[in-house]
Amino acid sequence: MPTPRRALFAAAVALVLPLSACGSGGGGGGSTDASGKVEGNITFETWNLRANFTPYFRGLIADFEKKYPGTHVKWIDQPAEGYADKLSADAAGGTLPDVVNVSPDLVAPLARAGLAMDLDKAAATYRSEYLPGAWASHQIPGMSGTYAFPWYLNTGPLFYNKALFTKAGLNPDQPPKTYGELFADALQMARESDGKVATLANVPTIEDFGRYGVPLMNRQGTGFAFNNAKAVELLTKYKELYDAKALDAQALTATPESAGKKFLTGAVAMNPGSALDLDNFRKNAPGLYRNIGITDQITSTGHVNMYVMGVMVNSRTKHTPAAVAFAHFVTDAQNQMSFARKVAIFPSTAGSLNDPYFTKEDGTDETRVRIAAATSLKGAVNYTPVLFSDQMKTALGNEVAKALQGKESPKEALDNAVKAADRLLQQG
């Protein structure tokens, strides 16, 4: 994994895995019986965690081996760059570790290739320990089963610049709560600043369509559906914002980092983020920090977007009881809570978000953000379809750009994006 923030707020690289190299696409090919004695040597692979969390993982492994004498866990940590390619090569070569740190889009091709164990069969007894939305995040459309234990979660609020709201004649203590209010406030901000201050810095992504209430795939998982009337409505609104300079002129090529810089300099009035951003504001933009407003993500569904990491069990493991037990151990409530106290992430286990660490105010903005995020995560969903690859994200972004520039109508752009995504899905 990249750094925790990057892993959770940036899209993971799409994994291309020839299904014929690894077996059928119908689920795990090994034993899903985890009821035997927990023993044997297993390997555990993480994603760029060694640099910052070596003591934590060494302690975790030592605790597991103490609990289960006769087990030995070999920890492997891979760099952020090329992680997906490494998984693909290991899968094709039969050297995939027993337990693997994955994101939903990385587990999907492994599950379809029969290399990810179905935990609804192997670990159903543990399902109630996790938040329903988190458990469901590693389910694959068109397949039955769940293919990774949910590990840590993240989400974040919207930050806004109260000074810019005041200057535009908007109430700094009443930020927009609905899309209608957001669009109206953005247009007013652009008018009052003569187009010098945009409210938003990013074009709509697949997650934005999900938050707006657009169905993203058909129920069978065989095709995408984000070109319906509601999706066209959202993209049409963004086109209106773009034309009025309420959406930043550089939004077509913006990255989360560049959008964040725009927010720091006062060129943009609102930006999504996390508690990690507050220290950056304090150090690098004290004027902004004094005027920072914090509000919830805007949705039409009542559910915010959730980013999730998982722990997969290799269906070909020779030590199913040990591999399942260790994957569960890594992600159980006690160990997730311990990890959450070391870095700004949130446990996926049911009840953990009720801990005073996530509920008790202490007067600091950091705690306020942490509490707000924890509260919203209880009903959060992962809007990014697990089958929506990096190439599909690029195709959607290109078509959205054409619509905003007036080269295509919003309907034409979304139709083309769905066609491209469906074509890539079939090439699978």
Side-chain angles (χ1 to χ4, degrees), residues 200-203 205 247-262 268 271 397 401:
L200 303 174
N202 295 103
V203 301
T205 62
L247 178 63
D248 186 71
Q250 297 178 7
L252 302 185
T253 57
T255 63
E257 290 75 19
S258 66
K261 289 178 181 178
K262 290 270 186 176
V268 171
N271 201 55

Side-chain angles (χ1 to χ4, degrees), residues 179 204-217 226 228 230-231 234 297-305 381-385 396:
Y179 281 100
T205 62
I206 195 70
E207 295 92 344
D208 292 303
F209 286 104
R211 273 192 292 257
Y212 198 65
V214 176
L216 303 178
M217 291 196 80
F226 54 87
N228 69 356
K230 196 164 185 64
L234 180 63
Q297 289 181 31
I298 296 173
T299 80
S300 293
T301 64
H303 302 283
V304 303
N305 189 47
V381 297
N382 178 19
Y383 284 112
T384 305
L396 174 58

Side-chain angles (χ1 to χ4, degrees), residues 13-306:
V13 180
L15 180 64
V16 178
L17 181 66
L19 301 188
S20 59
C22 304
S24 69
S31 171
T32 57
D33 182 5
S35 62
K37 185 177 180 181
V38 177
E39 61 183 358
N41 298 340
I42 59 173
T43 51
F44 170 48
E45 183 167 84
T46 54
W47 187 357
N48 196 30
L49 289 171
R50 188 179 294 276
N52 295 316
F53 304 107
T54 290
Y56 171 79
F57 283 100
R58 284 180 176 167
L60 182 77
I61 290 168
D63 289 345
F64 178 78
E65 291 175 346
K66 182 179 179 180
K67 182 176 181 179
Y68 297 104
T71 61
H72 176 73
V73 180
K74 180 182 179 181
W75 178 31
I76 304 167
D77 188 67
Q78 298 293 347
E81 197 69 29
Y83 186 70
D85 293 335
K86 181 67 168 61
L87 287 184
S88 181
D90 284 346
T95 56
L96 197 66
D98 298 280
V99 180
V100 186
N101 177 190
V102 291
S103 54
D105 58 326
L106 293 182
V107 82
L110 296 171
R112 295 171 81 185
L115 288 176
M117 187 172 292
D118 180 1
L119 299 180
D120 284 341
K121 294 179 180 177
T125 186
Y126 300 129
R127 179 172 184 160
S128 62
E129 295 180 17
Y130 302 88
L131 294 169
W135 185 267
S137 65
H138 291 89
Q139 295 171 352
I140 316 301
M143 296 178 65
S144 61
T146 300
Y147 294 92
F149 284 100
W151 194 6
Y152 56 85
L153 313 174
N154 221 327
T155 190
L158 274 174
F159 292 115
Y160 67 101
N161 188 322
K162 288 186 175 183
L164 293 178
F165 268 61
T166 300
K167 193 172 182 180
L170 298 168
N171 188 332
D173 297 318
Q174 292 184 2
K177 299 293 186 184
T178 66
Y179 281 100
E181 292 174 358
L182 173 65
F183 298 142
D185 287 357
L187 292 173
Q188 182 170 330
M189 182 80 68
R191 284 194 305 270
E192 295 298 321
S193 68
D194 293 324
K196 293 184 175 65
V197 178
T199 297
L200 303 174
N202 295 103
V203 301
T205 62
I206 195 70
E207 295 92 344
D208 292 303
F209 286 104
R211 273 192 292 257
Y212 198 65
V214 176
L216 303 178
M217 291 196 80
N218 62 30
R219 290 184 178 275
Q220 296 75 33
T222 57
F224 291 93
F226 54 87
N227 58 340
N228 69 356
K230 196 164 185 64
V232 173
E233 177 182 276
L234 180 63
L235 187 50
T236 300
K237 289 290 187 181
Y238 266 86
K239 167 65 172 164
E240 184 180 354
L241 298 186
Y242 186 74
D243 290 343
K245 297 185 179 179
L247 178 63
D248 186 71
Q250 297 178 7
L252 302 185
T253 57
T255 63
E257 290 75 19
S258 66
K261 289 178 181 178
K262 290 270 186 176
F263 184 64
L264 280 177
T265 61
V268 171
M270 300 190 79
N271 201 55
S274 75
L276 294 170
D277 291 299
L278 291 170
D279 192 50
N280 181 38
F281 299 157
R282 185 188 296 109
K283 292 177 180 176
N284 299 315
L288 170 64
Y289 184 72
R290 286 192 297 270
N291 289 286
I292 200 70
I294 306 170
T295 190
D296 295 331
Q297 289 181 31
I298 296 173
T299 80
S300 293
T301 64
H303 302 283
V304 303
N305 189 47
M306 170 178 67

Side-chain angles (χ1 to χ4, degrees), residues 1 4-5 7-9 104 130-138 149-156 274 304-310 331 336 339-340 343-350 352-353 358 370 373-374 376-382:
M1 170 187 91
R5 179 178 177 184
L8 294 167
F9 291 94
Y130 302 88
L131 294 169
W135 185 267
S137 65
H138 291 89
F149 284 100
W151 194 6
Y152 56 85
L153 313 174
N154 221 327
T155 190
S274 75
V304 303
N305 189 47
M306 170 178 67
Y307 301 89
V308 58
M309 277 286 159
T331 62
Q336 286 209 50
F339 197 36
V343 63
I345 52 88
F346 300 86
S348 63
T349 40
S352 295
L353 297 177
F358 298 115
R370 183 169 67 240
S376 66
L377 276 169
K378 293 176 183 178
V381 297
N382 178 19

